[in-house]
Amino acid sequence: MINISELAFRYRGRGSNLESSFSMQVQEFAVPLGASTALVGPSGSGKTTLLGLIAGTLRATSGSIIVNDQAITGFSDNELGRYRIRSVGQVFQAFELLGYLTVIENVMLPWYISGNGVKADIRKRAADLLLDVGLESKQSAMPGELSQGEQQRVAVCRAMLNNPPVLLADEPTGNLDQANKQNVVDLLVEQAKRNNSTLLMVTHDESLLNKFDSVLDMRNVAQPLEVKSQR
Amino acid sequence: MSGALFLGWRYLARHRFKSGILIASITLMLFLPAATRLLVQDSATALTARADQTPLILGARGSELELVLNTLYFHAETPAEIENRTFVEAQSTGLADFIPIHSRFHAQGAPIVGTSLDYFDFRGLHVASGRQMGLLGECIIGANVARRLGLGPGDSIISSPETVFDIAGVYPLKLTIAGVMEAAGTADDDAVFVDVRTSWIIQGLGHGHVDLAEPEAGGAVLSRRDGVVTANASLTQYAEITRDNISAFHFHGSAESFPLTSVIAVPPDQKNTALLRGRYQDNELLQLVVPGNVLDDLLETVFAVQNYVILGLAILSFATIAVITLVFLLSQQLRRGEFHTLLRIGASKGYVAILVASEIGFVFLLSAILAAGLTLVTRYYAMQILQTFLTL
């Protein structure tokens, strides 16, 4: 279960000729355990920011985020790192596989970071995940040798390696064709259900919404307080 | 930690061309100054060690360095010759033990050193197989010569022709190998030792041929007058000294006028050393040198050059490090996305720092290992290289 209450976030970025700030506030927000939820809303409504806050890569200015009874808003940077490794699986729009690792090594990347568990067991788990997504023959291939759909399937396997209770996907189908979009979403939903993970996925594609248990429109849960960008 | 090391290693392995260039650059940067310093130090140690074991060298006036290098290392550049008379006269003073050296000829790439048996005692050389040379025309060869040419006792080795374009000149002499010396790790391992009289035969001062009184020499005899027989160039000379023809070998002229390249003098004490040095101090034809002093002068120059070389290499290393740092920083910028991914998955900043440090560490470690290996190999062959250089 993900519970969010009285959450506020303010961001102020600075570049050479660009200054922008972004703030949003979420009053109440809850995603039940094991459910798959699509997060929709217009650009700039704070979908990616919300995923970042839940993943712990962004820090809330105030309010609380409780993930499976853990108040992650009070975590230190190191605790957030451990939390991400143990409790959160993330799938990114651009796959973000490491080009110098083989497919199975990419799936095992969370283990290379955490070192938790026996390597042989983790390798078997990675191989099983690749078998599930039909990439068992590509274990030793490099990411550059795969199609985009295959790369995203590897990214899903990587996110699932540690059986995370929370699975976050930020527009994972943004770079895929229609057939691959359906496949990847089916895979995410299926893996989340199999693992009893809470899936929260950002998407702009309305054709995919029927695959989720619920749909949350950011406009109903969050209010962007200020969006300012000036050159 | 081990995961970061693994990722670092995989990154380098995947980009092996880039890594290879980095490693090669750093290897050279570490190897060149280290090898230069080691080579110079080892060479200096080896040079001075042999020089210090040789108290004094008597030779003709001229280049002291040529005289020392020829006597110690049988360097091909021969100094002006002295007469055997000098050796005889020096011996008569009783101020030291004197050992004649006649190092001018070669046999199959190895210097032929004409000397006396005292030389082997003086250098502490022992026969490993066979026996010490005893007869005219016999030789004893160094361990490296035996290994390089695959020769042993009973085999023979031929001296290089000295007068290729003179059909009536001195022909190569076939030397019988009486024994092979134990390896000493010095220039002696690369030499062929003969009795000094054999070296004079190689030079053509002595020879063997059929008795001119015999009928078969008739065609070569030009005249017989007052007991003096004059023969022409068709007279066949023996190219090998055997038990059968050794009695036919003889020298023309006085042995005192025969040449030597130098004489090693081994005085028993400082007093005799001083007396000997004084004796030859003002001699216009001869010089008595202390090999250690001569080589110290040479080494002073070598060390000065070495310092300039190392200074140049240091500047080059600084430039290399600057370029490598720049390449590395640019590489890190290009990899910001990768590091961001690691942080988003759950890596700490410390983990990313270890990853980057491990890559730098691997590059430097591999470079250091390679540089150390190259330095060891260079050091291993340094003496051989030096030896080759000195005998050239």
Side-chain angles (χ1 to χ4, degrees):
Chain A
M1 174 76 89
I2 301 170
N3 282 303
I4 293 171
S5 61
E6 301 297 330
L7 188 69
F9 173 76
R10 285 185 184 79
Y11 164 78
R12 186 179 172 83
R14 190 169 287 177
S16 56
N17 58 358
L18 173 70
E19 188 174 300
S20 65
S21 61
F22 170 77
S23 301
M24 71 170 221
Q25 191 161 8
V26 181
Q27 295 298 340
E28 203 69 36
F29 178 84
V31 180
L33 188 66
S36 59
T37 302
L39 202 55
V40 296
S43 295
S45 60
K47 301 184 295 295
T48 298
T49 301
L50 186 59
L51 284 195
L53 289 166
I54 294 170
T57 51
L58 296 175
R59 278 191 174 278
T61 311
S62 64
S64 73
I65 302 173
I66 297 171
V67 179
N68 292 345
D69 301 327
Q70 298 180 92
I72 67 163
T73 34
F75 280 2
S76 66
D77 284 349
N78 284 341
E79 286 171 331
L80 280 173
R82 284 196 290 275
Y83 154 75
R84 277 200 293 280
I85 280 286
R86 288 177 188 156
S87 306
V88 183
Q90 296 180 83
V91 183
F92 311 110
Q93 184 175 358
F95 326 135
E96 300 190 21
L97 302 177
L98 301 193
Y100 55 87
L101 297 182
T102 62
V103 163
I104 195 160
E105 286 166 351
N106 264 290
V107 176
M108 291 170 69
L109 188 58
W111 180 78
Y112 287 123
I113 293 172
S114 70
N116 293 331
V118 180
K119 187 177 182 182
D121 297 341
I122 300 296
R123 195 173 180 88
K124 184 174 183 317
R125 162 86 177 142
D128 289 344
L129 284 167
L130 288 171
L131 182 66
D132 283 350
V133 300
L135 291 175
E136 67 275 17
S137 63
K138 306 271 178 137
Q139 286 186 19
S140 303
M142 302 309 289
E145 299 166 10
L146 304 182
S147 69
Q148 292 202 319
E150 288 174 327
Q151 288 188 49
Q152 195 57 299
R153 278 189 272 162
V154 174
V156 171
C157 292
R158 180 178 66 189
M160 296 302 302
L161 183 78
N162 289 337
N163 293 318
V166 176
L167 189 56
L168 304 175
D170 189 3
E171 294 193 68
T173 58
N175 285 337
L176 303 179
D177 58 35
Q178 196 58 37
N180 271 316
K181 277 181 186 178
Q182 300 288 340
N183 288 339
V184 167
V185 172
D186 286 342
L187 181 65
L188 276 169
V189 172
E190 183 193 326
Q191 289 287 341
K193 284 213 182 315
R194 184 184 294 182
N195 196 44
N196 204 26
S197 301
T198 303
L199 171 63
L200 199 56
M201 180 178 131
V202 171
T203 183
H204 283 112
D205 194 336
E206 292 187 358
S207 69
L208 302 173
L209 298 183
N210 61 346
K211 296 182 181 294
F212 293 87
D213 296 331
S214 61
V215 176
L216 268 177
D217 191 329
M218 281 298 285
R219 284 168 292 197
N220 298 331
V221 295
Q223 294 85 46
L225 298 179
E226 181 189 7
V227 178
K228 192 173 92 181
S229 177
Q230 66 181 64
R231 281 183 188 277
Chain B
M1 175 85 173
S2 61
L5 296 181
F6 172 78
L7 294 189
W9 176 252
R10 292 288 285 141
Y11 181 83
L12 294 177
R14 180 67 183 165
H15 301 95
R16 53 178 73 98
F17 182 69
K18 192 172 82 176
S19 307
I21 291 174
L22 273 177
I23 289 168
S25 307
I26 297 170
T27 299
L28 284 177
M29 196 180 79
L30 298 173
F31 163 70
L32 288 176
T36 303
R37 190 169 281 275
L38 271 176
L39 268 177
V40 170
Q41 276 175 354
D42 284 0
S43 306
T45 306
L47 279 170
T48 50
R50 194 162 168 87
D52 290 343
Q53 287 165 5
T54 312
L56 296 166
I57 295 175
L58 179 60
R61 282 237 172 248
S63 165
E64 290 184 348
L65 188 61
E66 257 178 30
L67 176 65
V68 170
L69 290 182
N70 180 263
T71 306
L72 299 185
Y73 297 100
F74 321 124
H75 191 271
E77 202 69 42
T78 50
E81 291 177 337
I82 56 175
E83 289 185 338
N84 187 39
R85 186 190 326 274
T86 303
F87 167 66
V88 174
E89 286 173 359
Q91 264 191 323
S92 69
T93 64
L95 291 172
D97 291 331
F98 294 91
I99 302 163
I101 299 288
H102 190 213
S103 168
R104 184 181 151 179
F105 307 106
H106 287 78
Q108 293 175 243
I112 295 174
V113 182
T115 186
S116 65
L117 293 179
D118 293 336
Y119 182 85
F120 302 97
D121 292 334
F122 168 63
R123 291 279 185 224
L125 301 172
H126 302 287
V127 177
S129 61
R131 58 171 174 77
Q132 185 52 272
M133 59 189 185
L135 297 171
L136 208 60
E138 282 186 343
C139 68
I140 182 160
I141 59 176
N144 288 347
V145 179
R147 195 184 63 241
R148 180 167 60 86
L149 300 176
L151 297 174
D155 295 332
S156 53
I157 186 168
I158 300 170
S159 68
S160 302
E162 295 297 315
T163 50
V164 177
F165 301 108
D166 179 4
I167 56 169
V170 183
Y171 288 94
L173 185 67
K174 190 174 179 183
L175 302 164
T176 304
I177 298 169
V180 177
M181 285 188 301
E182 279 179 3
T186 64
D188 298 320
D189 294 345
D190 297 292
V192 174
F193 292 93
V194 296
D195 183 83
V196 71
R197 290 173 305 150
T198 304
S199 71
W200 290 334
I201 290 175
I202 294 169
Q203 192 163 354
L205 299 170
H207 57 198
H209 50 74
V210 293
D211 189 347
L212 293 174
E214 296 294 325
E216 58 264 31
V221 174
L222 293 174
S223 66
R224 298 175 196 271
R225 188 179 300 157
D226 302 329
V228 177
V229 181
T230 307
N232 63 21
S234 69
L235 181 69
T236 306
Q237 294 186 16
Y238 299 126
E240 181 182 8
I241 304 171
T242 63
R243 288 183 188 278
D244 295 334
N245 68 17
I246 192 167
S247 59
F249 275 80
H250 55 275
F251 294 91
H252 293 271
S254 165
E256 289 200 345
S257 65
F258 290 170
L260 295 174
T261 46
S262 61
V263 175
I264 293 174
V266 190
D269 50 36
Q270 288 294 318
K271 181 185 168 191
N272 282 19
T273 303
L275 286 172
L276 260 181
R277 295 188 73 178
R279 189 180 181 88
Y280 291 98
Q281 194 170 16
D282 298 324
N283 194 308
E284 290 179 0
L285 299 175
L286 301 170
Q287 60 179 340
L288 187 71
V289 299
V290 181
N293 294 348
V294 174
L295 287 180
D296 282 348
D297 290 345
L298 171 70
L299 289 173
E300 261 182 42
T301 311
V302 171
F303 281 124
V305 172
Q306 175 208 251
N307 289 339
Y308 283 115
V309 169
I310 288 180
L311 178 68
L313 289 172
I315 294 168
L316 204 62
S317 298
F318 181 76
T320 308
I321 287 175
V323 171
I324 287 171
T325 306
L326 183 67
V327 167
F328 196 77
L329 289 175
L330 289 172
S331 166
Q332 300 310 299
Q333 265 197 329
L334 288 172
R335 294 174 66 192
R336 275 201 309 200
E338 173 198 332
F339 299 148
H340 188 56
T341 301
L342 290 173
L343 292 171
R344 285 212 283 176
I345 289 174
S348 63
K349 285 179 181 168
Y351 181 92
V352 175
I354 290 171
L355 167 62
V356 173
S358 73
E359 288 171 11
I360 298 172
F362 280 133
V363 166
F364 273 90
L365 184 67
L366 284 173
S367 304
I369 291 170
L370 272 175
L374 279 173
T375 306
L376 284 176
V377 169
T378 307
R379 194 173 197 186
Y380 181 76
Y381 289 109
M383 288 305 101
Q384 291 180 34
I385 295 166
L386 179 69
Q387 192 61 48
T388 307
F389 172 75
L390 288 171
T391 53
L392 280 176

